[in-house]
Amino acid sequence: MADKADRDARGRVVAAATDGACSGNPGPGGWGALLRFEDGSVEEFGGSDPATTNNRMELQAALAVLERLKELPRHPDLRLRTDSKYLIDGLGSWMAGWKRKGWKTAAGKPVLNQDLWQALDRARLPDVPLAYVKGHSGDPDNDRVDQIAVAFSRGERPVLGASGSAPAAGASAPSALEEAPAPASLQRLLSRLELADRLAQGGYGLTAVELAQLVEQPLARLQDRDGPWRWRDWWVEPLEEGRRWRLQRAEAGSEQN
């Protein structure tokens, strides 16, 4: 009952991201994942494997998120964001052919990572499409899951965002890194501020879900706003009757009319 109450309080999942990492490829690997909820809360989890590949860690991360999402209410705009074209192409293009050929490639060889592909095929959710995001491009959620995956691949135990319920099977519980260069919360904030600057300079428009992810505010709160408002060093301006938003760098001491 308590778990259900926590889920209800957090609202729907509005964003999801995964990443995998491996040292040596093959070698020790790790994966990381996060979910964002309408109330602004974040759930992070991850795991490791002492002998694996980067591709297997990418698939394991996606599998863990999909299995977790089955238990949670999901926003209709939810996408599972990943920098793995291997994952996207496998689920979106290659799998149908593999299955027709009895899980063989066009060359007649057994499909690599077949166990994880078959598990992903069973776990996929029709309402949660995959979306590609370029790795190491300043995207805050991609950067964060990369940090989690790399830490696990190195045998470290990263500090993970609080979850409202038990993490996915195989995930590791939170525990502090002994010599972290900076608190995880500060690292995430710096990444978000850098991204905000790039968005403002480029004049890009953001959906309400993307803006909620950036400013870490509940989606419902953003949908209630009908005019410009200030977030840290930027003005947030509504476009298209509030369906999209744009950031504009605020001058020191300025107030918008």
Side-chain angles (χ1 to χ4, degrees):
M1 293 296 292
D3 182 55
K4 183 179 186 302
D6 287 340
R7 292 200 301 267
D8 291 344
R10 293 185 296 175
R12 297 169 294 183
V13 180
V14 298
T18 62
D19 198 17
C22 191
S23 178
N25 205 30
W31 58 270
L34 68 77
L35 304 176
R36 291 189 181 276
F37 295 82
E38 284 181 302
D39 71 345
S41 63
V42 181
E43 182 175 322
E44 299 177 339
F45 44 100
S48 62
D49 190 318
T52 187
T53 66
N54 185 72
N55 281 339
R56 285 191 66 83
M57 292 294 89
E58 295 280 7
L59 301 186
Q60 181 60 61
L63 178 60
V65 163
L66 290 173
E67 290 177 339
R68 182 74 180 115
L69 286 174
K70 284 183 179 179
E71 308 169 0
L72 298 168
R74 303 182 291 272
H75 192 278
D77 292 335
L78 175 64
R79 303 288 186 271
L80 173 51
R81 304 174 75 240
T82 172
D83 60 14
S84 173
K85 292 186 176 180
Y86 176 66
L87 170 63
I88 291 175
D89 289 341
L91 277 181
S93 303
W94 303 336
M95 185 173 288
W98 291 340
K99 292 166 74 173
R100 285 196 304 269
K101 297 179 177 69
W103 290 97
K104 298 290 180 63
T105 67
K109 297 181 179 180
V111 172
L112 293 177
N113 306 315
Q114 186 177 144
D115 57 331
L116 288 173
W117 283 121
Q118 290 177 341
L120 280 165
D121 189 33
R122 294 189 296 270
R124 69 165 81 199
L125 300 170
D127 62 325
V128 184
L130 301 181
Y132 176 73
V133 56
K134 185 177 179 181
H136 309 290
S137 61
D139 180 273
D141 284 357
N142 180 259
D143 287 348
R144 176 55 184 158
V145 291
D146 175 68
Q147 290 171 0
I148 296 171
V150 169
F152 275 116
S153 74
R154 293 173 176 170
E156 299 169 348
R157 302 293 297 277
V159 177
L160 300 177
S163 63
S165 59
S172 298
S175 134
L177 283 171
E178 292 183 358
E179 296 182 359
S185 57
L186 178 57
Q187 293 180 24
R188 292 197 298 273
L189 174 61
L190 292 175
S191 294
R192 286 162 49 222
L193 298 183
E194 291 171 358
L195 177 59
D197 234 358
R198 295 179 187 179
L199 293 171
Q201 290 173 8
Y204 299 108
L206 302 175
T207 66
V209 170
E210 290 168 339
L211 181 62
Q213 174 186 343
L214 175 67
V215 303
E216 293 192 336
Q217 291 187 17
L219 182 61
R221 184 181 301 173
L222 301 185
Q223 292 172 333
D224 289 340
R225 296 182 183 272
D226 57 5
W229 50 280
R230 182 142 180 183
W231 177 71
R232 295 187 177 273
D233 294 332
W234 294 269
W235 285 106
V236 183
E237 303 173 333
L239 303 173
E240 302 174 16
E241 297 180 353
R243 289 192 295 273
R244 296 183 72 84
W245 301 82
R246 181 175 60 197
L247 296 180
Q248 181 178 346
R249 169 68 80 163
E251 298 296 332
S254 70
E255 291 296 334
Q256 192 165 87
N257 296 327

